Amino acid sequence: GENVEQHPSTLSVQEGDSAVIKCTYSDSASNYFPWYKQELGKRPQLIIDIRSNVGEKKDQRIAVTLNKTAKHFSLHITETQPEDSAVYFCAARSTDKLIFGTGTRLQVFP
Amino acid sequence: DAGVIQSPRHEVTEMGQEVTLRCKPISGHNSLFWYRQTMMRGLELLIYFNNNVPIDDSGMPEDRFSAKMPNASFSTLKIQPSEPRDSAVYFCASSLGSTYEQFFGPGTRLTVL
């Protein structure tokens, strides 16, 4: 089955800097890759997603890139702000199931 | 739209007791997912339903866990008997179909003493 690895597990950046989180997946048939943000004590919420027919997608300060050949995808957050502090999960969809990475705890220091 | 609704939000019980978690998906959504989140294992899919039919329950840890979806607007996850290692946050999520965005409920924090 699908296996998703996510790095790093923790990431600390200064406000205004960029943050990059990377994920790899194992199932070449996976075709949908969402990213979820989970604030402390809250539910995971979708922030951006990408499908396998697209290499890059951007939404304001957030962008996701996908390399199907290498089977990895990344989340890029530019001009980070303290409210970006949260746990971020990547996921890959394989046979209608989302398989989640282990999460990255991002801390943005003012 | 109220979003996905889960109850209770918190549950504290003693080992050996039966626990029932409840979920109401977003109206019109026909896929429903149950997840468990722990520090050690992260976010794990337990089971999911399409049109009220269980499609994949390979994530259900053992026979103590069971899930039902008697109609399009209600699902339950039952643990009987409960054990301390079942302590976790249980999320329910729903989507228009299994290939669409999943919307998570607020979760139920379960503590088994």
Side-chain angles (χ1 to χ4, degrees):
Chain A
E2 177 65 281
N3 182 50
V4 177
E5 294 191 358
Q6 183 172 348
H7 300 280
S9 56
T10 60
L11 180 59
S12 296
V13 300
Q14 205 74 32
E15 182 178 1
D17 288 349
S18 295
V20 180
I21 302 170
K22 299 181 179 181
C23 289
T24 61
Y25 61 98
S26 60
D27 186 354
S28 57
S30 290
N31 58 10
Y32 173 65
F33 307 90
W35 287 87
Y36 282 81
K37 175 183 180 182
Q38 186 177 26
E39 297 177 355
L40 189 63
K42 301 288 182 64
R43 73 192 77 187
Q45 292 192 295
L46 181 75
I47 55 171
I48 195 167
D49 57 13
I50 191 167
R51 298 182 187 273
S52 58
N53 59 347
V54 176
E56 184 174 358
K57 185 176 178 180
K58 192 172 182 180
D59 182 3
Q60 299 183 338
R61 297 186 297 107
I62 295 173
V64 58
T65 59
L66 171 65
N67 183 327
K68 287 192 297 180
T69 303
K71 289 190 281 190
H72 65 69
F73 56 113
S74 301
L75 177 71
H76 304 253
I77 306 174
T78 58
E79 301 172 26
T80 54
Q81 302 167 2
E83 50 265 38
D84 294 330
S85 297
V87 178
Y88 292 81
F89 292 94
C90 64
R93 185 173 62 213
S94 173
T95 59
D96 292 349
K97 298 192 299 186
L98 282 184
I99 306 300
F100 284 85
T102 49
T104 296
R105 183 173 299 279
L106 173 64
Q107 288 185 299
V108 180
F109 292 98
Chain B
D1 194 331
V4 176
I5 299 172
Q6 290 186 247
S7 65
R9 295 293 306 278
H10 302 273
E11 176 81 26
V12 180
T13 190
E14 293 188 344
M15 183 173 62
Q17 296 298 305
E18 177 179 297
V19 174
T20 299
L21 311 182
R22 297 173 174 79
C23 175
K24 176 179 169 56
I26 294 172
S27 177
H29 283 192
N30 53 26
S31 293
L32 183 141
F33 306 81
W34 281 103
Y35 291 92
R36 177 172 68 175
Q37 186 175 38
T38 61
M39 288 295 293
M40 291 297 294
R41 301 176 67 88
L43 202 54
E44 305 173 276
L45 177 67
L46 301 177
I47 185 171
Y48 78 96
F49 297 82
N50 278 350
N51 297 313
N52 314 336
V53 176
I55 303 301
D56 187 335
D57 65 354
S58 59
M60 296 286 261
E62 47 198 276
D63 292 345
R64 297 184 298 107
F65 285 68
S66 62
K68 293 182 180 179
M69 192 164 186
N71 58 61
S73 58
F74 184 65
S75 177
T76 59
L77 177 68
K78 186 177 291 187
I79 309 173
Q80 165 65 11
S82 58
E83 296 182 3
R85 60 194 169 116
D86 301 331
S87 298
V89 179
Y90 291 81
F91 287 103
C92 173
S94 72
S95 64
L96 277 173
S98 57
T99 60
Y100 289 80
E101 174 186 353
Q102 293 184 20
F103 294 83
F104 282 75
T108 295
R109 181 172 295 276
L110 173 65
T111 302
V112 183
L113 303 175

